[in-house]
Amino acid sequence: MRKKNVQNTARKRTVKRRKMSPLLKLLCFLLSVASLGLVVFLGFQLFKLDMLPLTLLLPVLFVVVLITLLIIVFSNFKCRKNVSKLIMTIVLAVLTAAYGLGNYYVYGLSNLFNEVTNLTDKVVNKVNVYALAGSSMASASDLKGKTLGIVTGLDEQGTNRCIEELNKEDVQVETAEYNTLSDLLYGLFNEQVDGIILNETYENDIHEQGDYTNFGVMTKRVYESVYYTDRSTSQSESLNAVDSITTTPFTILISGNDSYGSLAQTSRSDVNMLVTIDPSNHRVLMTSLPRDLYVPIACPEGAEDCPDDTLNKLTHTGQYGVEATDETIEKALDITVNYTVRVNFSSLVNLVDAVGGIDVYVEEGLEVDTFYANGTEGVQAGWNHLDGERALAFARERHAYIDGDAQRVKNQQIVLEALINKVISPSMIINFGSFIDALGGAFETNMPADQIRSFIRYQFAMMPKWNFESFTILGMVSTEYCTIQGDYASVMIPYEEYLETAKEKIDAVLSGKSSDTIDAPTTDTSLLTLRDYSEYQDQPSTYENSMPDTTYQEPIQDYTQDWQVDDSQQYYDYVPYQEESVQDDGNMYDPNADMSQGVY
């Protein structure tokens, strides 16, 4: 009797196992089919992407497919117990999810190449009507019958478009013409006019003027006019492309806009760095040009209102597109730029955060307690780990250094080298997904997608150890007239010897040599020669010991400037102090906003 009961119990357990097994078997089979299909599709996408060398891709795919097949066979034909079947089903589920994620990122990477290399054929331009912060005007209708100040010859196209759009809304305004940007600001803050019409790109020029550092807080935008201009065809594809960037040395211009958000909007070129790469000898030369370098602008074909062959800050050329910056630098150094890459503030923040931050080394004496640009924590002597915001602030800092802009461009070189080293490091395996997500919309280039893929393929195949070299062009700080700004501004007149050395160093790397074979100029400025701009006789110049002929008057004196510290926000801001203090409406530093928000 007992024997019969034992047999019945065993039979019940067997029946119970048989009732559960079909569900596990079905799930296991479906996951097997899905994982095998996804790994095959992943291999197809990788072949189509053509980014990895076949010597690496084929063995890796063979091993991955082989392991997948072994797991599938073991799961479906060798597992006889529910526990082992369940474990292998979970393994298959993990594999299926991993292969699905891999396909997603490879597909995104493929789209990324098309996104960054297919430049839009339109450029966004914004012209605003500004009024004092305390003004009662709040919309276009409030401007009817008002007098708005404009600068004669300063973005006439944008100004006229703004007035025309107001007229279409049945808003007629009077205009008062001023000679310079300084005069215009004086007129606004002394209430000579009700408001001013100004292209948004000039806001950053205003923030650099000590009397109006907090322009974004002291004023408000009453009306915004947006229009689009055609982008020069020279930017859509390089006119100086090389046959193969994996065998032929080439030079890239990295142009960094001083703005957040979309790359399609016009903005100054705050960072200008030439990166010359010799792939055969694994050498990278970074040549930095200060943003305030005083040079003749070379206007690209089709650039409207561009004052060709007049003296300006290099940064102002960005208002006419990266091609204007490109051609201006080519003219100043007598070199050829093969490709351009355009980024902005958001690009750097997102990319640095995506790779998990970067490590930079700071020399003794170059410590910074708090960065002026956005009030973030500074850097100490030695190694510092920086997130995106601190990396951006480090790359923009100049007020804390005796060398000012010269040290800033050195910091930019340090940040670029640190970012490159992080991207090619093994840790990128972990951060690859977030890095690919951050790349989307982070930059645009006229380098063809197939060239980019070939260079990545070259990096994977050769795994070269890159040697970084650097050089910075220097000059004498002066106050000169800038035609684009329509006013006098602090500039840097380049030393002839530094311009010549920059060209020679670039030529050395292009010919397969180290840039260190070219000696740097002496640091004794008394032995250096400023670039001669005497041919520009029709352009006012204090460099020629002539005084500015301008109607500019002293700024309003009903306030004194004072430093205020907001301990709760932990940043410094330059705020005008008045008897009735300007109220902070929250328009302070915002990483997603433009630089009109009260902090330069």
Coordinates of all heavy atoms in Angstrom, one line a residue, residues 310-371:
T310 N 37.8 94.3 -44.1 CA 37.9 95.3 -43.1 C 38.4 94.6 -41.8 O 38.2 93.4 -41.6 CB 36.6 96.0 -42.8 OG1 35.6 95.1 -42.4 CG2 36.1 96.7 -44.1
L311 N 39.0 95.4 -40.9 CA 39.6 94.9 -39.7 C 38.5 94.6 -38.6 O 37.7 95.5 -38.3 CB 40.7 95.8 -39.1 CG 41.9 96.0 -40.1 CD1 42.8 97.1 -39.6 CD2 42.6 94.7 -40.2
N312 N 38.6 93.4 -38.0 CA 37.6 93.0 -36.9 C 38.3 92.0 -36.0 O 39.3 91.4 -36.3 CB 36.4 92.4 -37.6 CG 35.5 93.4 -38.3 OD1 34.7 94.2 -37.7 ND2 35.7 93.5 -39.6
K313 N 37.6 91.8 -34.9 CA 37.9 90.7 -34.0 C 37.6 89.4 -34.8 O 36.6 89.3 -35.5 CB 37.1 90.7 -32.7 CG 37.5 91.8 -31.7 CD 36.7 91.5 -30.5 CE 37.0 92.6 -29.4 NZ 36.3 92.3 -28.2
L314 N 38.4 88.4 -34.6 CA 38.2 87.1 -35.2 C 36.8 86.5 -34.8 O 36.1 85.9 -35.6 CB 39.3 86.1 -34.9 CG 39.2 84.7 -35.5 CD1 39.2 84.8 -37.0 CD2 40.4 83.9 -35.0
T315 N 36.5 86.7 -33.5 CA 35.2 86.2 -33.0 C 34.0 86.7 -33.8 O 33.0 86.0 -33.9 CB 35.1 86.5 -31.5 OG1 33.9 85.9 -31.0 CG2 35.0 88.0 -31.2
H316 N 34.1 87.9 -34.3 CA 32.9 88.5 -35.0 C 32.6 87.8 -36.3 O 31.5 87.9 -36.8 CB 33.1 90.0 -35.2 CG 33.1 90.8 -33.9 ND1 33.8 91.9 -33.7 CD2 32.4 90.6 -32.8 CE1 33.6 92.4 -32.5 NE2 32.7 91.6 -31.9
T317 N 33.6 87.1 -36.9 CA 33.4 86.5 -38.2 C 32.4 85.4 -38.1 O 31.7 85.1 -39.1 CB 34.8 85.9 -38.7 OG1 35.2 84.9 -37.8 CG2 35.8 87.0 -38.9
G318 N 32.2 84.8 -36.9 CA 31.2 83.7 -36.7 C 29.8 84.2 -37.0 O 29.0 83.3 -37.3
Q319 N 29.6 85.5 -37.0 CA 28.2 86.0 -37.3 C 27.8 85.8 -38.7 O 26.7 85.9 -39.1 CB 28.1 87.5 -36.9 CG 28.3 87.7 -35.4 CD 28.4 89.1 -34.9 OE1 28.9 89.5 -33.9 NE2 27.8 90.0 -35.8
Y320 N 28.8 85.5 -39.6 CA 28.6 85.3 -41.0 C 28.8 83.8 -41.3 O 29.0 83.5 -42.5 CB 29.4 86.2 -41.8 CG 29.2 87.7 -41.6 CD1 30.0 88.4 -40.7 CD2 28.1 88.3 -42.1 CE1 29.7 89.7 -40.4 CE2 27.8 89.6 -41.8 CZ 28.6 90.3 -41.0 OH 28.4 91.6 -40.7
G321 N 28.9 83.0 -40.3 CA 29.0 81.5 -40.6 C 30.5 81.1 -40.4 O 31.4 81.9 -40.4
V322 N 30.6 79.8 -40.1 CA 32.0 79.2 -39.9 C 32.8 79.4 -41.1 O 34.1 79.4 -41.0 CB 31.8 77.8 -39.5 CG1 31.4 76.9 -40.6 CG2 33.2 77.2 -39.0
E323 N 32.2 79.5 -42.3 CA 33.0 79.6 -43.5 C 33.7 81.0 -43.5 O 34.8 81.1 -44.1 CB 32.2 79.5 -44.8 CG 31.1 80.5 -45.0 CD 29.8 80.1 -44.3 OE1 29.8 79.4 -43.3 OE2 28.7 80.6 -44.8
A324 N 33.1 82.0 -42.9 CA 33.8 83.3 -42.8 C 35.0 83.2 -41.9 O 36.1 83.8 -42.2 CB 32.8 84.4 -42.3
T325 N 34.8 82.5 -40.8 CA 36.0 82.3 -39.9 C 37.1 81.5 -40.6 O 38.3 81.8 -40.5 CB 35.5 81.6 -38.6 OG1 34.4 82.3 -38.0 CG2 36.6 81.5 -37.6
D326 N 36.7 80.5 -41.3 CA 37.6 79.6 -42.0 C 38.4 80.5 -43.0 O 39.7 80.4 -43.0 CB 36.8 78.6 -42.8 CG 37.6 77.7 -43.6 OD1 38.9 77.8 -43.6 OD2 37.1 76.8 -44.3
E327 N 37.8 81.2 -43.9 CA 38.5 82.0 -44.9 C 39.3 83.1 -44.3 O 40.4 83.4 -44.9 CB 37.5 82.5 -45.9 CG 36.8 81.4 -46.7 CD 35.8 81.9 -47.7 OE1 35.9 83.1 -48.1 OE2 34.9 81.2 -48.1
T328 N 38.8 83.7 -43.2 CA 39.6 84.7 -42.6 C 40.9 84.2 -42.0 O 42.0 84.8 -42.1 CB 38.8 85.4 -41.4 OG1 37.6 86.0 -42.0 CG2 39.6 86.4 -40.7
I329 N 40.9 83.0 -41.4 CA 42.1 82.4 -40.8 C 43.0 82.0 -41.9 O 44.2 82.1 -41.8 CB 41.7 81.2 -39.9 CG1 41.0 81.7 -38.7 CG2 42.9 80.3 -39.6 CD1 40.5 80.6 -37.8
E330 N 42.5 81.4 -43.0 CA 43.3 81.0 -44.1 C 44.1 82.2 -44.7 O 45.3 82.1 -45.0 CB 42.5 80.4 -45.2 CG 41.9 79.0 -44.9 CD 41.2 78.4 -46.1 OE1 40.5 79.2 -46.9 OE2 41.3 77.2 -46.3
K331 N 43.4 83.3 -44.8 CA 44.0 84.6 -45.3 C 45.1 85.1 -44.3 O 46.2 85.5 -44.7 CB 42.9 85.6 -45.5 CG 43.5 87.0 -46.0 CD 42.3 87.9 -46.3 CE 42.8 89.3 -46.8 NZ 41.7 90.2 -47.0
A332 N 44.8 85.0 -43.0 CA 45.7 85.6 -42.0 C 47.0 84.8 -41.9 O 48.1 85.3 -41.7 CB 45.0 85.7 -40.7
L333 N 46.9 83.5 -42.0 CA 48.0 82.6 -41.9 C 48.6 82.1 -43.2 O 49.7 81.4 -43.2 CB 47.7 81.4 -41.0 CG 47.2 81.7 -39.6 CD1 47.0 80.4 -38.8 CD2 48.3 82.5 -38.8
D334 N 47.9 82.3 -44.3 CA 48.4 81.8 -45.6 C 48.5 80.3 -45.5 O 49.5 79.7 -45.9 CB 49.7 82.4 -46.0 CG 50.1 82.1 -47.4 OD1 49.1 81.8 -48.2 OD2 51.3 82.1 -47.8
I335 N 47.4 79.6 -45.1 CA 47.3 78.2 -45.0 C 46.1 77.7 -45.7 O 45.2 78.5 -46.1 CB 47.4 77.7 -43.6 CG1 46.1 78.2 -42.8 CG2 48.7 78.1 -42.8 CD1 45.9 77.6 -41.5
T336 N 45.9 76.4 -45.7 CA 44.7 75.8 -46.2 C 44.0 75.0 -45.1 O 44.6 74.1 -44.5 CB 45.0 74.8 -47.4 OG1 45.5 75.6 -48.5 CG2 43.7 74.1 -47.9
V337 N 42.7 75.2 -44.9 CA 41.9 74.5 -44.0 C 41.1 73.5 -44.8 O 40.4 73.8 -45.7 CB 41.0 75.4 -43.1 CG1 40.1 74.6 -42.2 CG2 41.8 76.4 -42.3
N338 N 41.3 72.2 -44.4 CA 40.6 71.1 -45.2 C 39.2 70.9 -44.8 O 38.3 70.7 -45.6 CB 41.4 69.8 -45.1 CG 42.8 70.0 -45.5 OD1 43.7 70.1 -44.7 ND2 43.1 70.1 -46.8
Y339 N 38.9 71.0 -43.5 CA 37.5 70.7 -43.0 C 37.2 71.7 -41.8 O 38.1 72.2 -41.2 CB 37.4 69.3 -42.5 CG 37.8 68.2 -43.5 CD1 39.0 67.6 -43.5 CD2 36.9 67.9 -44.6 CE1 39.4 66.6 -44.4 CE2 37.2 67.0 -45.5 CZ 38.5 66.3 -45.5 OH 38.8 65.4 -46.4
T340 N 35.9 71.8 -41.5 CA 35.5 72.6 -40.4 C 34.6 71.8 -39.5 O 33.9 70.9 -40.0 CB 34.8 73.9 -40.8 OG1 33.6 73.5 -41.6 CG2 35.6 74.8 -41.7
V341 N 34.7 72.1 -38.2 CA 33.8 71.4 -37.2 C 33.2 72.6 -36.4 O 34.0 73.4 -35.9 CB 34.5 70.4 -36.3 CG1 33.6 69.9 -35.2 CG2 35.0 69.2 -37.2
R342 N 31.9 72.6 -36.2 CA 31.3 73.7 -35.5 C 30.5 73.2 -34.3 O 29.8 72.2 -34.4 CB 30.3 74.4 -36.4 CG 29.7 75.7 -35.9 CD 29.0 76.5 -37.0 NE 28.3 77.6 -36.5 CZ 27.0 77.7 -36.4 NH1 26.3 76.6 -36.7 NH2 26.4 78.8 -36.0
V343 N 30.8 73.7 -33.1 CA 30.2 73.3 -31.9 C 29.8 74.5 -31.1 O 30.0 75.7 -31.5 CB 31.2 72.5 -31.0 CG1 31.7 71.2 -31.7 CG2 32.4 73.3 -30.6
N344 N 29.1 74.3 -30.0 CA 28.7 75.4 -29.1 C 28.8 75.0 -27.6 O 29.3 73.9 -27.3 CB 27.3 76.0 -29.4 CG 26.2 75.0 -29.2 OD1 26.4 73.9 -28.7 ND2 25.0 75.3 -29.7
F345 N 28.4 75.9 -26.7 CA 28.5 75.6 -25.3 C 27.8 74.3 -24.9 O 28.4 73.5 -24.2 CB 27.9 76.7 -24.5 CG 28.8 78.0 -24.5 CD1 28.2 79.2 -24.2 CD2 30.1 78.0 -24.9 CE1 28.9 80.4 -24.2 CE2 30.8 79.1 -25.0 CZ 30.3 80.3 -24.6
S346 N 26.6 74.1 -25.4 CA 25.9 72.9 -25.1 C 26.6 71.6 -25.5 O 26.6 70.6 -24.9 CB 24.5 72.9 -25.8 OG 23.7 74.0 -25.4
S347 N 27.3 71.7 -26.7 CA 28.0 70.6 -27.2 C 29.1 70.1 -26.2 O 29.1 68.9 -25.9 CB 28.7 70.9 -28.5 OG 27.9 71.5 -29.4
L348 N 29.9 71.0 -25.7 CA 31.0 70.6 -24.8 C 30.4 70.0 -23.5 O 30.9 69.0 -23.0 CB 31.8 71.8 -24.5 CG 33.0 71.5 -23.5 CD1 34.0 70.5 -24.1 CD2 33.8 72.8 -23.2
V349 N 29.4 70.7 -22.9 CA 28.8 70.2 -21.7 C 28.3 68.8 -21.8 O 28.6 67.9 -21.0 CB 27.7 71.2 -21.2 CG1 26.9 70.6 -20.0 CG2 28.2 72.5 -20.8
N350 N 27.5 68.6 -22.9 CA 26.9 67.3 -23.1 C 27.9 66.2 -23.4 O 27.8 65.0 -22.9 CB 25.9 67.3 -24.2 CG 24.7 68.2 -23.9 OD1 24.4 68.5 -22.7 ND2 24.0 68.7 -24.9
L351 N 28.9 66.5 -24.2 CA 29.9 65.5 -24.5 C 30.8 65.1 -23.3 O 31.1 63.9 -23.1 CB 30.8 66.0 -25.7 CG 30.2 66.1 -27.0 CD1 31.1 66.7 -28.0 CD2 29.7 64.7 -27.5
V352 N 31.2 66.1 -22.5 CA 32.0 65.8 -21.4 C 31.2 64.9 -20.4 O 31.7 64.0 -19.8 CB 32.5 67.1 -20.7 CG1 33.2 66.8 -19.4 CG2 33.5 67.8 -21.6
D353 N 30.0 65.3 -20.1 CA 29.1 64.5 -19.2 C 28.9 63.1 -19.7 O 28.8 62.1 -19.0 CB 27.8 65.2 -19.0 CG 27.9 66.4 -18.1 OD1 28.9 66.5 -17.3 OD2 27.0 67.3 -18.1
A354 N 28.8 63.0 -21.1 CA 28.5 61.7 -21.7 C 29.7 60.7 -21.5 O 29.4 59.5 -21.4 CB 28.2 61.8 -23.1
V355 N 30.9 61.2 -21.4 CA 32.0 60.3 -21.2 C 32.4 60.1 -19.8 O 33.5 59.5 -19.4 CB 33.3 60.8 -22.1 CG1 32.9 60.8 -23.5 CG2 33.8 62.2 -21.6
G356 N 31.6 60.7 -18.9 CA 31.9 60.5 -17.5 C 32.8 61.6 -16.9 O 33.4 61.3 -15.8
G357 N 33.0 62.7 -17.6 CA 33.9 63.7 -17.1 C 35.3 63.6 -17.7 O 35.6 62.5 -18.3
I358 N 36.1 64.6 -17.6 CA 37.5 64.5 -18.0 C 38.4 64.9 -16.9 O 38.0 65.6 -15.9 CB 37.7 65.5 -19.2 CG1 37.3 66.9 -18.9 CG2 36.9 65.0 -20.4 CD1 37.6 67.9 -20.0
D359 N 39.7 64.5 -17.1 CA 40.7 64.9 -16.1 C 41.7 65.8 -16.7 O 42.3 65.5 -17.8 CB 41.4 63.6 -15.7 CG 40.5 62.6 -15.0 OD1 39.8 63.0 -14.0 OD2 40.4 61.4 -15.4
V360 N 41.9 67.0 -16.1 CA 42.9 68.0 -16.6 C 43.9 68.3 -15.5 O 43.6 68.2 -14.3 CB 42.1 69.3 -17.0 CG1 41.1 69.0 -18.1 CG2 41.5 69.9 -15.8
Y361 N 45.1 68.6 -15.9 CA 46.2 68.9 -15.0 C 46.4 70.4 -15.0 O 46.5 71.0 -16.0 CB 47.5 68.2 -15.4 CG 48.6 68.3 -14.4 CD1 48.6 67.5 -13.2 CD2 49.6 69.3 -14.5 CE1 49.6 67.7 -12.3 CE2 50.6 69.5 -13.6 CZ 50.6 68.7 -12.5 OH 51.6 68.8 -11.5
V362 N 46.4 71.0 -13.8 CA 46.6 72.4 -13.6 C 48.0 72.7 -13.0 O 48.3 72.1 -11.9 CB 45.5 73.0 -12.8 CG1 45.7 74.5 -12.5 CG2 44.1 72.8 -13.4
E363 N 48.8 73.5 -13.7 CA 50.1 73.9 -13.1 C 50.0 74.8 -11.9 O 49.0 75.4 -11.7 CB 50.9 74.6 -14.2 CG 51.1 73.8 -15.5 CD 52.1 72.7 -15.4 OE1 52.8 72.7 -14.3 OE2 52.2 71.9 -16.2
E364 N 51.0 74.8 -11.1 CA 51.1 75.6 -9.9 C 51.0 77.1 -10.4 O 51.6 77.5 -11.3 CB 52.4 75.4 -9.2 CG 52.6 74.1 -8.5 CD 51.9 74.1 -7.2 OE1 51.4 75.1 -6.7 OE2 51.8 73.0 -6.6
G365 N 50.2 77.8 -9.6 CA 50.0 79.2 -9.9 C 48.8 79.5 -10.8 O 48.5 80.7 -11.1
L366 N 48.2 78.5 -11.4 CA 47.0 78.6 -12.3 C 45.7 78.1 -11.6 O 44.8 77.8 -12.3 CB 47.3 77.9 -13.6 CG 48.5 78.4 -14.4 CD1 48.6 77.6 -15.7 CD2 48.3 79.9 -14.8
E367 N 45.7 78.1 -10.3 CA 44.5 77.6 -9.6 C 43.5 78.7 -9.7 O 43.8 79.9 -9.8 CB 44.8 77.4 -8.1 CG 46.0 76.4 -7.9 CD 47.3 77.1 -7.7 OE1 47.5 78.2 -8.2 OE2 48.2 76.5 -7.1
V368 N 42.2 78.3 -9.7 CA 41.1 79.2 -9.7 C 40.1 78.8 -8.7 O 39.6 77.6 -8.6 CB 40.4 79.2 -11.1 CG1 39.2 80.1 -11.1 CG2 41.4 79.6 -12.2
D369 N 39.7 79.7 -7.8 CA 38.8 79.3 -6.7 C 37.4 79.1 -7.2 O 36.7 78.1 -7.0 CB 38.8 80.4 -5.6 CG 40.1 80.5 -4.8 OD1 40.7 79.4 -4.7 OD2 40.4 81.5 -4.3
T370 N 36.9 80.1 -8.0 CA 35.5 80.1 -8.6 C 35.6 80.6 -10.0 O 36.2 81.7 -10.2 CB 34.6 80.9 -7.7 OG1 34.6 80.5 -6.4 CG2 33.1 80.8 -8.3
F371 N 35.0 79.8 -10.9 CA 35.1 80.3 -12.3 C 34.1 81.5 -12.5 O 33.0 81.4 -12.1 CB 34.7 79.1 -13.2 CG 35.7 78.1 -13.4 CD1 35.4 76.7 -13.1 CD2 37.0 78.4 -13.8 CE1 36.4 75.8 -13.2 CE2 38.0 77.4 -13.9 CZ 37.6 76.1 -13.6

